[in-house]
Amino acid sequence: MTSKTMWLLGRLMHRHRGGLKLSSFVRSASCTAEGAVAPPVDSSVTAEQAVRLWAQHFTLHGISEPLLSSQYIIAHVLGRKTLDGVDRRRLKDPLTDTERVSVWKLCTKRLTSMPVQYVIQEWDFRDLTLKMKPPVFIPRPETEELVGLVLEDLRLIRGESYGTDLRCLEVGCGSGAISLSLLHSIPQLRVLALDQSQAAVCLTRENANRLGLQDKLEVQHLDVMGDALLSKCGPVHFLVSNPPYLLTQEMQSLQTEILRFEDHAALDGGLDGLSVIRSILVLASKLLKERGRVYLEVAPCHPPVIRQMIEETMPGLLYLETRCDLTNRPRFCILQRRA
């Protein structure tokens, strides 16, 4: 343990009611062989102290969002989503032995740059709580916007009832966030979701079972760039996807936690970021019902390129519009099969 870390831990523990000595904490919170802080065995630590301690320790080790990471992990151990949901008095009580060991175990995982979503093994997506496991891609806020856009557009087209027969294809389901959120919101919907990752297929099925939506969802281990998909899927009313769209040259500039833990195949869209998107558009022209729609999340540089591609090489599709995300970046493309 570095002298700076020892000083920091001592300062934090000195604030504890009862005046815990630095020496006793350092003896009990020693470094493991991997360099992580082992849990105290003879010292009481409150939840508030643990939050401060680990936020500072994450900062010392260059972990992104150190305070949020500490708060999410400790709230999870206390059985809540966030610390706002924990009784204020509970935050000032000493952690139990079991809680203390859990906090130290999970925070030690975060010290390796493992994303918080993988550390606590769950994350909220819109109004659902989904299981998360590495290396399956972690859904981002922009994808929540994509689902909201789809729901809004479908209401405008079909009305609140949506009709009794509504079928969707999702390409690249990951954890199942998009499909399951749509199924949760539209009882009449049936979805075929596919992914090239077996881990993603298994996680989507697990999340569907946990949410009681498994009867409305079929999940297939298929690559949209392969030849087997057309025989597996009938006509659909719409296709939705958050495909890999990063340019290959951008991959090495990603955060360490993404590069180390998340599936690169879910991110890397090839030299121009469009390798998977091209296959999706070809597929859409063959599988969409008349006037069926495509909803894509893409890189901000892609909408004009996709529009040009549609106009020049895909006469069966019509580029309808580009929508921006909450940061006003062109992020979503809406297309339609021509009548």
Side-chain angles (χ1 to χ4, degrees):
M1 183 181 298
T2 66
S3 58
K4 185 175 182 181
T5 302
M6 289 174 62
W7 175 85
L8 171 63
L9 298 179
R11 289 284 296 173
L12 288 171
M13 296 311 301
H14 181 69
R15 299 176 185 175
H16 174 59
R17 293 171 300 182
L20 183 64
K21 300 293 186 181
L22 169 61
S23 58
S24 64
F25 184 72
V26 171
R27 283 197 306 271
S28 58
S30 59
C31 278
T32 65
E34 293 78 18
V37 178
V41 294
D42 60 357
S43 306
S44 59
V45 186
T46 70
E48 283 185 339
Q49 289 173 329
V51 168
R52 293 195 298 269
L53 187 157
W54 280 105
Q56 295 288 349
H57 201 55
F58 291 151
T59 299
L60 286 174
H61 286 77
I63 302 301
S64 64
E65 298 185 319
L67 180 57
L68 277 175
S69 297
S70 180
Q71 290 173 336
Y72 274 125
I73 291 170
I74 291 164
H76 174 76
V77 170
L78 297 178
R80 295 291 185 268
K81 302 286 186 184
T82 66
L83 288 182
D84 289 339
V86 180
D87 186 279
R88 304 312 298 175
R89 292 172 296 181
R90 179 68 182 86
L91 294 176
K92 298 181 182 298
D93 291 337
L95 296 170
T96 66
D97 291 344
T98 299
E99 290 168 345
R100 189 169 63 249
V101 169
S102 294
V103 167
W104 258 250
K105 178 181 177 181
L106 297 180
C107 285
T108 295
K109 289 184 177 181
R110 182 70 181 117
L111 275 180
T112 68
S113 294
M114 178 179 282
V116 169
Q117 294 91 334
Y118 292 155
V119 170
I120 65 175
Q121 298 185 4
E122 66 176 32
W123 202 244
D124 285 353
F125 183 88
R126 289 175 61 89
D127 48 0
L128 302 178
T129 299
L130 301 172
K131 191 80 171 174
M132 293 288 150
K133 295 179 182 178
V136 180
F137 183 72
I138 298 166
R140 271 52 172 189
E142 292 87 350
T143 306
E144 296 190 27
E145 295 180 54
L146 174 64
V147 172
L149 182 157
V150 173
L151 291 172
E152 175 189 0
D153 200 55
L154 290 176
R155 289 190 185 100
L156 290 174
I157 296 171
R158 304 177 71 92
E160 290 294 335
S161 66
Y162 295 108
T164 57
D165 176 33
L166 190 59
R167 297 187 179 276
C168 165
L169 170 65
E170 183 190 2
V171 176
C173 56
S175 63
I178 294 176
S179 288
L180 294 172
S181 189
L182 290 171
L183 287 169
H184 181 74
S185 299
I186 309 175
Q188 305 93 324
L189 182 64
R190 297 293 182 271
V191 176
L192 170 62
L194 60 95
D195 204 292
Q196 52 80 34
S197 163
Q198 184 63 58
V201 168
C202 292
L203 185 55
T204 292
R205 287 174 178 159
E206 180 178 347
N207 279 321
N209 288 330
R210 291 173 67 245
L211 296 167
L213 295 170
Q214 67 276 9
D215 292 340
K216 301 178 180 181
L217 176 67
E218 180 184 352
V219 190
Q220 293 279 350
H221 181 210
L222 288 170
D223 188 342
V224 69
M225 300 176 76
D227 298 324
L229 182 55
L230 287 175
S231 63
K232 300 283 186 180
C233 182
V236 296
H237 295 91
F238 66 98
L239 185 157
V240 61
S241 182
N242 172 23
Y245 57 70
L246 292 182
L247 280 63
T248 298
Q249 66 185 25
E250 297 174 329
M251 291 293 294
Q252 293 306 312
S253 64
L254 294 175
Q255 288 180 297
T256 300
E257 57 190 42
I258 298 174
L259 284 172
R260 185 178 296 174
F261 290 96
E262 293 193 72
D263 183 5
H264 289 193
L267 295 160
D268 190 344
L271 293 178
D272 61 0
L274 292 168
S275 59
V276 177
I277 291 173
R278 286 190 184 89
S279 295
I280 290 174
L281 296 178
V282 171
L283 182 68
S285 66
K286 298 176 180 178
L287 287 181
L288 284 178
K289 290 177 176 286
E290 186 176 298
R291 299 187 186 279
R293 294 197 169 184
V294 180
Y295 303 92
L296 296 174
E297 178 182 333
V298 300
C301 63
H302 282 152
V305 181
I306 293 174
R307 179 188 289 272
Q308 183 177 3
M309 187 191 312
I310 294 298
E311 292 174 350
E312 293 180 356
T313 66
M314 297 184 178
L317 295 176
L318 175 67
Y319 192 99
L320 293 181
E321 62 177 310
T322 302
R323 298 275 189 94
C324 292
D325 61 20
L326 291 179
T327 62
N328 206 35
R329 294 174 298 178
R331 178 66 69 183
F332 311 108
C333 299
I334 304 178
L335 303 91
Q336 181 171 287
R337 182 171 180 178
R338 292 182 184 273

